[in-house]
Amino acid sequence: MPFDLGATVRLTGECRDPDGTLATAASAVVTITLPDETAVTPAVTEDPDKPGTYRADYVTTTPGRHTVRWVWTGPAAAYTDVFDVQEEAPPAILSLRDARKHLNRVSTTDDDELRFWNNATTRAVEYFVGPVVARSFTEEHEVRDARTVVLHRTPVLAVTAVTSLLTGGVAYAVNSLHVDRDTGEVLRLDGGRLTGRLRFTYRAGRTVIPENITAGARIILEHLWLTQRGSGGGLAGGGQDVTEPIPGLGYAIPNRALQLLEPDRLPPGVA
């Protein structure tokens, strides 16, 4: 499961000789390659109770995929692994408390796994209805004497910056622009044209999440949880009702969830 940004990751590795027996090495180094391709080498210690077993603690600083490379000498051995760090505030339609309550989970033992599937549920819901959890997006558009630019993600809450990527290019103040919340169309208030290679930064999502969306999210979460864990009985949603694959998502979405999301579904072809 992904680690939280700022959490300590305990890395472990075993040095084994050619016969596969745990062995104390003359040297042990672990290298972590971060998502930006920089590398760090945290201090390594050997477990005094289990010779040949090594560990290192690393405090995460960057979200994304990390590669871990253990190298030992005397005997020569190596081991490679990966771990993921999630963004500081990963979007989730349901709180952990609500997700746990819906699945009738009293214990917190499975919270890490539940958070993982809760985040996956959010991505599935937003596939159909666009951003739900309000957050910032950045995208680039090449426009030539255009009346409007259409942003990719809706509903749009506000455009926060428009900058030109070309030297000497035209920049536009956000208070000189109008954005249509539902269509994502951006136009100049003075009726002029937009031109250049432009980078738009904007916020999209819902400030108030409708009940049909949260209900659809609960059903999808339950379905994904049951798929991985097996039904233990007593879940709120009852049996599943996936009868045919959904383009792009296979059998991941129950029909009941789709019906609940229908009033907010994006038009065909809209991301």
Side-chain angles (χ1 to χ4, degrees):
M1 299 300 165
F3 291 91
D4 285 298
L5 185 63
T8 298
V9 179
R10 171 151 293 180
L11 306 169
T12 59
E14 295 180 342
C15 176
R16 295 183 180 271
D17 63 22
D19 293 326
T21 304
L22 285 171
T24 296
S27 68
V29 176
V30 62
T31 302
I32 304 171
T33 303
L34 280 62
D36 61 2
E37 297 299 322
T38 60
V40 295
T41 54
V44 175
T45 59
E46 185 178 18
D47 189 333
D49 299 323
K50 297 179 63 178
T53 301
Y54 294 81
R55 71 185 188 189
D57 290 339
Y58 171 69
V59 179
T60 59
T61 61
T62 307
R65 171 60 58 92
H66 293 60
T67 302
V68 180
R69 175 73 172 170
W70 287 91
V71 177
W72 295 272
T73 61
Y79 170 72
T80 302
D81 200 359
V82 298
F83 66 88
D84 293 307
V85 178
Q86 61 185 0
E87 56 191 314
E88 184 175 8
I93 294 173
L94 303 175
S95 68
L96 177 60
R97 177 180 178 275
D98 287 343
R100 192 190 296 128
K101 183 177 180 180
H102 181 68
L103 297 178
N104 294 329
R105 308 297 298 178
V106 177
S107 171
T108 60
T109 303
D110 299 321
D111 275 3
D112 285 343
E113 185 176 2
L114 182 52
R115 290 171 64 198
F116 172 84
W117 288 113
N118 198 20
N119 291 340
T121 294
T122 296
R123 293 294 299 271
V125 171
E126 292 188 335
Y127 175 88
F128 292 103
V129 303
V132 175
V133 181
R135 57 195 185 278
S136 182
F137 297 92
T138 299
E139 60 194 43
E140 298 177 7
H141 292 262
E142 179 75 43
V143 292
R144 295 183 180 179
D145 194 34
R147 282 184 47 82
T148 63
V149 170
V150 180
L151 301 177
H152 295 160
R153 295 173 176 86
T154 60
V156 177
L157 296 174
V159 174
T160 55
V162 182
T163 58
S164 174
L165 299 179
L166 304 178
T167 302
V170 178
Y172 299 93
V174 294
N175 59 6
S176 70
L177 304 172
H178 169 75
V179 58
D180 186 296
R181 178 183 184 277
D182 296 321
T183 66
E185 287 185 296
V186 179
L187 55 84
R188 290 174 53 174
L189 289 170
D190 62 6
R193 300 278 179 158
L194 297 163
T195 188
R197 182 72 178 183
L198 304 176
R199 174 179 292 153
F200 289 80
T201 303
Y202 63 100
R203 288 182 58 78
R206 276 86 167 171
T207 53
V208 177
I209 302 175
E211 287 84 353
N212 64 303
I213 290 181
T214 56
R218 289 171 185 263
I219 292 172
I220 295 170
L221 173 65
E222 178 184 330
H223 175 67
L224 295 175
W225 184 261
L226 288 175
T227 300
Q228 295 299 314
R229 308 280 296 190
S231 176
L235 289 178
Q240 302 305 298
D241 57 352
V242 180
T243 58
E244 59 183 26
I246 306 300
L249 290 174
Y251 291 90
I253 308 300
N255 293 330
R256 290 176 297 141
L258 285 179
Q259 291 166 359
L260 285 166
L261 299 177
E262 189 64 35
D264 296 274
R265 285 190 69 172
L266 297 171
V270 177

